[in-house]
Amino acid sequence: MALVVVLAALALLVGGPILIAWILLHGSKKPRKDASKAAREPLYVAFIHPDLGMGGAEKLVVETALLIQRKGHKVRIYTSHHDRARCFEATRDGTLEVVVAGDWFPREIAGRFQLPCAILRFIVTSAALLWDHKKTPFDVIFVDQISATIPMLRWSKAKVLFYCHFPDQLLTPRTGLLKALYRLPLDILEEVTTAFADRILVNSKFTANVFAQTFRHIRQTPTVLYPCVDPSQYAFADQTPRSPPRSPSKRRAAAAAKAPEAKKDTVLLSLNRFERKKNIALAIDALKLVVEKLGTGTDSDDALEHPEDGLVLYIAGGYDTRVKENVDHLTVRNFPAPVYRQ
């Protein structure tokens, strides 16, 4: 019986998006570009990302979109959520075109089922993309994080790239039989739909190895595309930046003013989202271990009377009040040092 439920859920999650794609695209004919002309014409690239906030994945999407746009191609970003008060400037000031669809669907149900809800929101976002594709066809669709709608998007005849930051099924522990049965169709769905991509991208050789070990039935070898950085936003000692960095917002400036002044010799930085799987406590434990080692050197000349002097650890990263885990994890119990929320 459990197997029947799993297979039925898998068929619904895979077949539903494909049916939607067929309904949206049936009867529409995408004009084919001549190969010689296509090589010279600008491309129309669509990015689709679940939540366009301020994180590493979002930074990658924004910087990649900006780079493609600077090369003379046209870009549009689709997302299920875009908070203009908490996003990258390029998505707010009109530099990048952003389309929001699916934000009306809940992010979770009774504090649970975050992934099924994210997939359903993504289906709505993908449907909006396909609807626009009927009017102005896309040449390339860049799918980020969620692979569930790739078969649906393949119906557009556009080339589909999927960027895998890390296999989702490795981010959730199987704490019991019910959890394992709940995750089984989702794990199968992740591998099956990822295989539909024309090209799979990963963020490092490490992730490429993990990808190969996790998705054993996918024969395609992922291509490593390192997260891009715009060097013009940073000043280096040996060169002048090509353009001045953007001024910080008043809110960030006020938060920075409240933070303790760093007068230490060595600064350690941990930059992650405030989630349990990021294991931020490891940085605190490592700092404690270093202080203990410095304070109990084998040579009396090496031992320090105040080993904590000369060291400071900053813990920073994404914090969203809409995400329950962020709120629960960022507590005095987990982080006893002063906390400055922006």
Side-chain angles (χ1 to χ4, degrees):
M1 183 62 183
L3 179 61
V4 173
V5 173
V6 169
L7 293 177
L10 183 62
L12 178 62
L13 289 172
V14 174
I18 294 178
L19 178 61
I20 294 174
W22 184 87
I23 293 173
L24 289 172
L25 298 175
H26 183 61
S28 66
K29 294 184 178 180
K30 178 183 177 181
R32 294 182 177 272
K33 290 185 177 180
D34 180 78
S36 59
K37 292 182 179 180
R40 298 189 300 269
E41 293 179 359
L43 297 175
Y44 197 4
V45 183
F47 286 78
I48 179 167
H49 179 82
D51 190 334
L52 202 59
M54 296 187 71
E58 293 76 25
K59 182 67 173 176
L60 179 138
V61 168
V62 170
E63 293 294 345
T64 305
L66 287 172
L67 178 61
I68 292 175
Q69 190 165 269
R70 292 191 195 111
K71 293 294 183 180
H73 304 291
K74 189 176 181 181
V75 172
R76 180 182 292 175
I77 300 179
Y78 288 82
T79 182
S80 58
H81 180 78
H82 182 229
D83 183 357
R84 297 179 65 85
R86 186 180 178 276
C87 63
F88 290 107
E89 186 68 24
T91 67
R92 179 174 55 231
D93 63 9
T95 303
L96 293 172
E97 182 182 3
V98 177
V99 176
V100 181
D103 204 10
W104 50 268
F105 197 89
R107 295 173 57 90
E108 58 186 26
I109 300 175
R112 299 179 181 274
F113 307 109
Q114 289 92 348
L115 181 55
C117 287
I119 292 175
L120 291 172
R121 287 163 63 94
F122 214 58
I123 290 174
V124 176
T125 309
S126 299
L129 186 156
L130 291 175
W131 181 260
D132 290 343
H133 174 80
K134 289 182 63 176
K135 297 173 287 185
T136 309
F138 297 106
D139 299 292
V140 180
I141 299 175
F142 188 110
V143 183
D144 190 51
Q145 289 192 330
I146 298 179
S147 64
T149 63
I150 292 178
M152 173 181 179
L153 296 171
R154 282 292 299 271
W155 277 71
S156 67
K157 304 301 182 184
K159 293 296 183 181
V160 177
L161 306 180
F162 176 63
Y163 199 96
C164 175
H165 297 269
F166 203 76
D168 182 79
Q169 58 189 260
L170 299 182
L171 300 177
T172 303
R174 282 28 174 194
T175 54
L177 179 60
L178 288 179
K179 183 63 175 291
L181 290 175
Y182 160 72
R183 285 292 315 196
L184 180 59
L186 298 174
D187 295 345
I188 296 175
L189 177 71
E190 182 182 16
E191 181 167 2
V192 169
T193 54
T194 297
F196 274 81
D198 291 293
R199 180 65 64 88
I200 301 171
L201 307 173
V202 292
N203 56 18
S204 65
K205 292 181 180 179
F206 168 77
T207 303
N209 291 331
V210 174
F211 183 97
Q213 296 170 9
T214 305
F215 302 128
R216 299 183 180 276
H217 297 94
I218 298 180
R219 296 184 178 181
Q220 182 182 159
T221 301
T223 301
V224 176
L225 175 63
Y226 294 108
C228 51
V229 176
D230 182 4
S232 66
Q233 299 300 314
Y234 303 91
F236 297 94
D238 58 345
Q239 68 182 54
T240 303
R242 287 172 291 177
S243 62
R246 297 185 180 119
S247 300
S249 64
K250 293 182 179 179
R251 184 177 61 178
R252 290 188 181 182
K258 294 179 181 179
E261 182 180 357
K263 295 182 179 179
K264 306 294 183 178
D265 296 325
T266 302
V267 176
L268 307 177
L269 173 64
S270 172
L271 189 61
N272 295 282
R273 292 191 305 275
F274 287 93
E275 297 178 1
R276 290 176 179 83
K277 62 174 174 280
K278 295 298 182 179
N279 195 18
I280 301 174
L282 180 63
I284 300 176
D285 294 337
L287 179 64
K288 179 181 178 182
L289 182 62
V290 169
V291 171
E292 291 175 351
K293 291 291 185 181
L294 291 176
T296 58
T298 54
D299 190 334
S300 59
D301 293 335
D302 295 334
L304 301 178
E305 184 177 356
H306 300 287
E308 67 278 3
D309 289 347
L311 291 174
V312 62
L313 169 64
Y314 284 103
I315 298 175
Y319 178 81
D320 192 339
T321 55
R322 297 176 303 118
V323 180
K324 185 175 183 295
E325 186 177 6
N326 286 176
V327 178
D328 292 344
H329 194 50
L330 186 57
T331 61
V332 175
R333 177 176 58 85
N334 292 326
F335 305 100
V339 173
Y340 300 91
R341 296 183 177 88
Q342 295 189 35

